Amino acid sequence: MQKNNFFDSLWFTAGVSILIGLVVYLLPVPQSLYEIAEAVPARDAQRAWTLLAIFAFTIAAFILKPWPMGTVAFIAIVMLVITRTLGIGPALSGFSNTVMWLIISAFFICRGFIKTRLGERVSYLFMKKFGKKTLGLSYSFIASNLVISPAMASSTARMGGVLFPIIRSLAEVSDSKPENGTERRVGSFLLFTTFQADMPISAMFMTAMAANPLAVLIAREVIGVEITWVQWMIAAIVPGLVTLAVLPLILYKLYPPEIKETPEAAEIAKKKLEEMGPLSLIEKKMIGIFFMVLLLWIFGSYIGIDATTSALIGVCTMLLINVLTFEDVKNEKIAWETLIWFATMVMMAGQLNTLGIIPWFSDIVTNAVHGLSWQMAFLIIALVYYYSHYFFASNTVHVSAMYGALLAVAVAVGTPPLFAALSLAFISSLFGGLTHYATGSAPVIFGSGYIKQNHFWGYAFIISIVFNIIWLGLGGLWWRVLGLW
Amino acid sequence: MQKNNFFDSLWFTAGVSILIGLVVYLLPVPQSLYEIAEAVPARDAQRAWTLLAIFAFTIAAFILKPWPMGTVAFIAIVMLVITRTLGIGPALSGFSNTVMWLIISAFFICRGFIKTRLGERVSYLFMKKFGKKTLGLSYSFIASNLVISPAMASSTARMGGVLFPIIRSLAEVSDSKPENGTERRVGSFLLFTTFQADMPISAMFMTAMAANPLAVLIAREVIGVEITWVQWMIAAIVPGLVTLAVLPLILYKLYPPEIKETPEAAEIAKKKLEEMGPLSLIEKKMIGIFFMVLLLWIFGSYIGIDATTSALIGVCTMLLINVLTFEDVKNEKIAWETLIWFATMVMMAGQLNTLGIIPWFSDIVTNAVHGLSWQMAFLIIALVYYYSHYFFASNTVHVSAMYGALLAVAVAVGTPPLFAALSLAFISSLFGGLTHYATGSAPVIFGSGYIKQNHFWGYAFIISIVFNIIWLGLGGLWWRVLGLW
């Protein structure tokens, strides 16, 4: 980074971040926020507004990067407490978030893949089979994800625990210098494409994302519509498969890998595999742990074991059978950095809802679409729902906070109920690609260091437009064919 | 460690730890626990008993060390969840504990002292003035602590944030190899003595420990006794000063430093200080931050800034003015290790109370002392209160859970109210030295690696007997003179 450039200087980046927060802070608190806040004791218009200002500063500082994200997170926590916006207890609550510890466990599982060299071996196997073209590799990862997705509701576990370790190993064997310097050789493209493709995959099956059943439940409660597993799948399959087909091609153009073709890949991989010889004992241990955790992620819900506990069981096993030492755990710096900034984001995003900003925002949308045709009204609602995810660090929290309210408004202005319920439910997965804190897998992918933040946000925004066109446009036609409207 | 020795082998240490947990688990749940549990919805006899078993395993494994403490902590969390004793949410709750983040901040502040070499300089200043004898050094640290204690209610901040960085630096400049290998050169003695001396110091003033005002409040509520700041101080000053006078002498005999006299210390220190030259800019920055945090710890309560927030303000400032980089924060492995095991201990100890084990235990004590003379009854109550701290990871939680109940029993059997209220309140500080998780400063001191766990527990137990003799024996006589009984 050239610190000589004024726009990269601390004065500019810190100044703009603080200015953005300060402007929001100094704006008068809207009267409508006071009205919304009065309805529920936990809400508080004044504190909600200060939180919004600190949130705005944090996001600005995450993007402009005057300081590392962890420093910004500590500053945000301190500001929340000294402005009396939150007590120190609630301000630290993100650190015990269960998704947080699934993410941290994913980093440890990835370390196990790297340390045992199993990740390397699997990468060579992928290279041998699909490695001639980087594009082909991306499709092979997406296909793998699609296969396990209906059975594995935690997209964080799928991306962070299953695909991330393999792609990361593959990136490291392919890229000579896998650090930020050579962002685009292979790892950046593969990680970002697979991550973005996980959003339509999450949207394709009711059981492919943790918040999907919640949306079904809310739809039943709020507008009395029943969505079945098959109905969901049929409605989603066409836009879903189209998205998965075109997404790698688009990113291949926009955010190309530096190495596109390696005709000799199969040969190299074969040679490397021969060099590695047969599976070592520690690799076999890691395979055993991996399949145990995979089975727990798939079937754990039947015996009441959630995704975080499943991952922690894997971590304990790795430690007990000496795949990892506790020293490895302490050394996993990315885990601790992610802990600090993501816990802070999760906490702030949750409090935006609790203190009243999100309900107030939903109310504004409701008033705005009043009197429009249902098509126009629904388009606005869908886009607002989509892009309001910049304010969220969890799909589940976003669905809990806004899905029901916006669905009710959509139906009230005349949108066909099943159409509205399904398309908003699909968006509840798609928006998870917007930012590096948007959903549990995002900080894992981002933590790899392969994708710079401005690239992450920029390309993610372009992809979100593609998602909207395919799902609301083509999807809309398909749902017409299905008779949803 | 000699792994050849059977008693140090994994089979033995893991086997015994698991056996202890299993035995507790297989014991029939006492009928009386069911009765106690029925009274309050949050309690549950079956789950409480399983928690007790897992707690027993954890403590045994912490002592016998089949695995690192962090591994044991992960195992405990997993076992709690898969036995349905706790949900994954409550099982992770310790990670957002506010004292937890004060401890973590203390490690970062200590890193600031080390990195800027300010700790080294202050150590040489202490050496120059008191350094001829190691014993003299220990008294100088105790005196410094005593002076700030009435104004600084967080003993974790006092020990972890103020004294620890200096003693640790001093140990590092004095000891050639400051790691576990040469446990006792200087650092072990100084750290352990100053830590243990913090317990009587915390007991000496109503404002020297966070849970003291809570005890005053509970005494007022439960037995209608008013304790004033001056009353407290007068009652505590005699046993307090006697303890501080003899404690370093006792540990000097029992747990002696290897280097006892360094007649040339003043000369060496003087020379080193000359070598260091005048204060560097970064040292001046660190001094400024240190005094800012010290002032916040002392006066923060008047402006509603708690000890954790004060420490985080210090951490943010260190990061913003480049005393620390965020890389230093991520690298602070001891902080992350302590996070994992101490958060787990805090969580389990809190849940022992919530699920009903502690209320059940108080009930047993009440029944046991029924019909005894008040002197005998009170002695039993005091000792039970003291040593039940093996089950706690926070003075505040222990005071909340047991102080009121035991005080009521003591007064009911005829103990003079003010006498009972004060002596139990003093014990509420003294028991903080028992284990390496007993109070916030304990994991910080333990985390330094200077004191092996078996030494920590063993000498702490001996010191606890000394504390009891001085406070209940000599203190009892003094309180007789004061007319408390």
Side-chain angles (χ1 to χ4, degrees), chain A residues 10 67-71 74-78 81-82 84 88-89 92-98 101 104 108 302-306 308-309 312-313 315-316 319-320 325-327 329-331 333-334 336-337 339-340, chain B residues 10 67-71 74-78 81-82 84 88-89 92-98 101 104 108 302-306 308-309 312-313 315-316 319-320 325-327 329-331 333-334 336-337 339-340:
Chain A
L10 182 63
W67 306 288
M69 293 171 71
T71 302
F74 277 141
I75 295 172
I77 290 175
V78 163
V81 177
I82 63 180
R84 304 256 184 292
I88 182 73
L92 297 175
S93 60
F95 291 107
S96 52
N97 183 282
T98 55
W101 285 88
I104 290 188
F108 299 150
Y302 298 105
I303 50 169
I305 305 281
D306 63 279
T308 303
T309 307
L312 283 174
I313 291 173
V315 172
C316 283
L319 289 167
L320 287 178
T325 65
F326 198 73
E327 201 60 32
V329 166
K330 288 190 282 181
N331 269 327
K333 288 187 218 170
I334 289 295
W336 309 124
E337 178 170 23
L339 173 72
I340 291 169
Chain B
L10 182 63
W67 306 288
M69 294 172 71
T71 303
F74 277 141
I75 295 172
I77 290 174
V78 163
V81 177
I82 63 181
R84 305 255 185 292
I88 183 72
L92 296 175
S93 59
F95 292 107
S96 52
N97 181 283
T98 55
W101 286 88
I104 291 189
F108 300 151
Y302 298 104
I303 50 169
I305 305 280
D306 63 279
T308 304
T309 307
L312 284 174
I313 291 173
V315 172
C316 283
L319 290 167
L320 288 177
T325 64
F326 197 73
E327 202 59 33
V329 166
K330 287 191 282 180
N331 269 326
K333 288 188 219 170
I334 289 295
W336 310 123
E337 179 172 22
L339 173 72
I340 290 169

Side-chain angles (χ1 to χ4, degrees), chain A residues 6-286:
Chain A
F6 173 71
F7 294 105
D8 287 335
S9 73
L10 182 63
W11 290 109
F12 178 77
T13 55
V16 171
S17 307
I18 293 167
L19 195 69
I20 287 173
L22 213 58
V23 165
V24 176
Y25 184 71
L26 292 177
L27 285 175
V29 181
Q31 188 55 36
S32 49
L33 181 57
Y34 278 109
E35 284 156 22
I36 285 284
E38 265 166 26
V40 176
R43 293 180 190 163
D44 185 312
Q46 193 62 56
R47 283 162 57 217
W49 199 254
T50 311
L51 170 63
L52 186 65
I54 295 171
F55 186 82
F57 155 79
T58 307
I59 301 298
F62 276 7
I63 298 170
L64 295 170
K65 293 213 168 287
W67 306 288
M69 293 171 71
T71 302
V72 174
F74 277 141
I75 295 172
I77 290 175
V78 163
M79 288 204 301
L80 284 168
V81 177
I82 63 180
T83 57
R84 304 256 184 292
T85 306
L86 292 177
I88 182 73
L92 297 175
S93 60
F95 291 107
S96 52
N97 183 282
T98 55
V99 176
M100 189 69 249
W101 285 88
L102 174 55
I103 293 169
I104 290 188
S105 304
F107 283 117
F108 299 150
I109 292 171
C110 182
R111 177 60 52 198
F113 267 87
I114 293 170
K115 192 183 170 191
T116 61
R117 297 188 67 197
L118 178 64
E120 211 175 312
R121 185 185 296 274
V122 176
S123 312
Y124 287 132
L125 288 172
F126 266 91
M127 271 173 76
K128 205 170 123 185
K129 200 147 178 80
F130 311 101
K132 283 197 179 123
K133 304 200 171 183
T134 306
L135 191 61
L137 270 175
S138 72
Y139 281 109
S140 69
F141 288 123
I142 291 171
S144 317
N145 191 1
L146 186 63
V147 169
I148 51 172
S149 68
M152 204 163 144
S154 171
S155 74
T156 308
R158 245 173 18 232
M159 273 308 297
V162 181
L163 290 165
F164 176 66
I166 295 167
I167 304 178
R168 186 142 183 213
S169 298
L170 194 133
E172 286 188 8
V173 299
S174 314
D175 296 353
S176 48
K177 271 199 289 170
E179 287 313 312
N180 282 11
T182 52
E183 197 195 5
R184 291 193 187 190
R185 284 178 76 85
V186 170
S188 320
F189 169 75
L190 285 180
L191 281 169
F192 195 63
T193 306
T194 321
F195 165 70
Q196 288 294 344
D198 189 53
M199 307 308 143
I201 289 174
S202 296
M204 282 171 77
F205 308 97
M206 192 194 281
T207 46
M209 203 267 289
N212 287 351
L214 181 63
V216 172
L217 219 70
I218 295 174
R220 184 196 296 157
E221 290 293 314
V222 173
I223 57 164
V225 154
E226 281 290 343
I227 308 171
T228 66
W229 196 94
V230 174
Q231 237 174 357
W232 181 302
M233 192 264 284
I234 291 175
I237 197 110
V238 170
L241 290 177
V242 170
T243 315
L244 295 182
V246 303
L247 179 68
L249 295 172
I250 293 173
L251 281 169
Y252 196 71
K253 283 275 172 217
L254 289 178
Y255 187 59
E258 279 181 6
I259 302 173
K260 292 183 184 175
E261 300 202 24
T262 32
E264 70 286 9
E267 210 43 53
I268 293 172
K270 213 179 141 204
K271 217 172 128 203
K272 288 277 182 188
L273 282 169
E274 273 163 20
E275 271 174 35
M276 287 187 86
L279 280 170
S280 66
L281 177 64
I282 199 167
E283 280 179 282
K284 285 180 191 159
K285 286 179 177 180
M286 189 67 215

